[in-house]
Amino acid sequence: MLMQIKNVRKQFNGVDVLKNVNVDVQKGDVIVILGPSGSGKTTFLRCLNFLEQADEGTMQFDTLHLDLSHTSSSDIAKVRKKTAFVFQNYNLFANKTALENVTLGLTAGRHVGKSEALAIGRQALDKVGLSDRYDYYPAQLSGGQQQRVGIARAIAVKPDVILFDEPTSALDPELIGEVLRVMKKLAEEGTTMIVVTHEMKFAQDVATHVIFMDGGVIVEEGAAEDIFVHPKHDRTKMFLKRILPCGGICEEYECR
């Protein structure tokens, strides 16, 4: 077991956003979290990387055992060295090139030498199909290219787990495919990923485990086929009916 997350709770202004959420992650898993807006998906993801502080819960991460509500700065740093976060809105530095955005986390955050960081950064950008965009600034890149820089930044630090928070939600429809292709390639290479997304086809093709959340709880979870073809809970069925292009539960596994 790479990660075991138990009993995560989080409130905002007295409102329960997460209620006893439990997730197990094996090395090489691609866990896709689905659910309507406000279901707690992003908050859960942010708690794993301490971008939000959970009110309760524990996390076993490799050799680390953490109380998510009382975690030292040194333990938070250890977790962040094992993880990388890909944001909805890219979070790139506007005054730095694509290559500089990728290498900054290596040189400033991990004390990698400049020449080594440049080599790693170029390799990461090559991997996401941006070998001709090293010296471009974010304003010179499309949204899809900016998000691919964000993914390159994540893979450059060689994390144990990459956390994706709706990585295609800010993109024009025609740019979504280029980002999903990169993510699918990472999954095929065995990269451990936890992905919050509304991209159903990606979930069907890539997920080793699908979680459906609503109201701060896990309503249903299982293999992709279990969720998309044989959902058990009425709330899951309602969600799929609204969001799947076929207008309901897939009669076949691949719903286009």
Side-chain angles (χ1 to χ4, degrees):
M1 187 75 65
L2 179 61
M3 297 176 75
Q4 191 170 46
I5 303 116
K6 290 186 175 181
N7 303 319
V8 179
R9 297 180 62 89
K10 177 67 178 177
Q11 286 189 340
F12 287 116
N13 299 320
V15 177
D16 289 323
V17 177
L18 297 173
K19 310 171 190 176
N20 293 323
V21 176
N22 300 276
V23 176
D24 292 340
V25 184
Q26 303 279 1
K27 185 175 175 59
D29 274 352
V30 179
I31 295 178
V32 172
I33 305 177
L34 309 175
S37 297
S39 60
K41 310 181 302 293
T42 291
T43 299
F44 175 69
L45 207 66
R46 290 173 66 86
C47 285
L48 299 186
N49 204 41
F50 297 96
L51 296 172
E52 299 284 355
Q53 184 91 42
D55 297 323
E56 295 180 29
T58 62
M59 179 166 65
Q60 181 76 35
F61 190 171
D62 199 6
T63 59
L64 294 171
H65 185 74
L66 307 171
D67 178 342
L68 295 178
S69 64
H70 297 89
T71 308
S72 68
S73 56
S74 62
D75 279 342
I76 290 174
K78 289 175 185 175
V79 170
R80 288 179 175 168
K81 283 189 176 181
K82 290 175 170 289
T83 61
F85 204 102
V86 177
F87 297 87
Q88 292 182 33
N89 296 310
Y90 327 133
N91 278 29
L92 302 180
F93 291 100
N95 62 338
K96 296 187 180 299
T97 65
L99 184 57
E100 288 170 339
N101 267 285
V102 174
T103 58
L104 184 62
L106 294 167
T107 55
R110 306 193 181 215
H111 309 296
V112 176
K114 185 176 180 180
S115 60
E116 183 182 358
L118 288 171
I120 294 171
R122 292 188 186 101
Q123 185 179 41
L125 287 167
D126 293 349
K127 191 167 188 174
V128 300
L130 293 175
S131 56
D132 58 344
R133 295 292 189 272
Y134 295 161
D135 298 323
Y136 282 58
Y137 289 89
Q140 299 172 302
L141 301 171
S142 70
Q145 289 170 335
Q146 289 184 64
Q147 190 60 289
R148 283 188 281 156
V149 173
I151 295 173
R153 178 176 57 190
I155 63 178
V157 298
K158 297 179 173 62
D160 292 340
V161 182
I162 302 180
L163 309 173
F164 291 85
D165 181 20
E166 299 195 33
T168 61
S169 65
L171 300 178
D172 292 334
E174 63 184 8
L175 301 177
I176 289 172
E178 65 189 58
V179 173
L180 293 180
R181 280 190 292 273
V182 170
M183 294 173 64
K184 187 174 181 180
K185 182 179 178 182
L186 291 176
E188 290 169 349
E189 293 173 352
T191 305
T192 307
M193 304 157 64
I194 304 176
V195 185
V196 170
T197 185
H198 289 298
E199 299 297 334
M200 298 295 106
K201 185 64 169 60
F202 173 82
Q204 290 175 314
D205 287 347
V206 176
T208 58
H209 193 76
V210 176
I211 293 171
F212 173 64
M213 291 184 66
D214 190 32
V217 301
I218 293 177
V219 175
E220 189 168 353
E221 59 183 311
E225 185 170 1
D226 294 334
I227 300 301
F228 287 104
V229 183
H230 306 294
K232 296 179 175 63
H233 199 284
D234 287 344
R235 183 65 186 92
T236 312
K237 294 175 184 178
M238 183 185 299
F239 175 79
L240 293 174
K241 185 176 182 180
R242 289 176 176 173
I243 202 165
L244 285 174
C246 63
I249 311 305
C250 297
E251 294 181 2
E252 298 181 357
Y253 176 57
E254 290 197 2
C255 181
R256 303 287 175 174

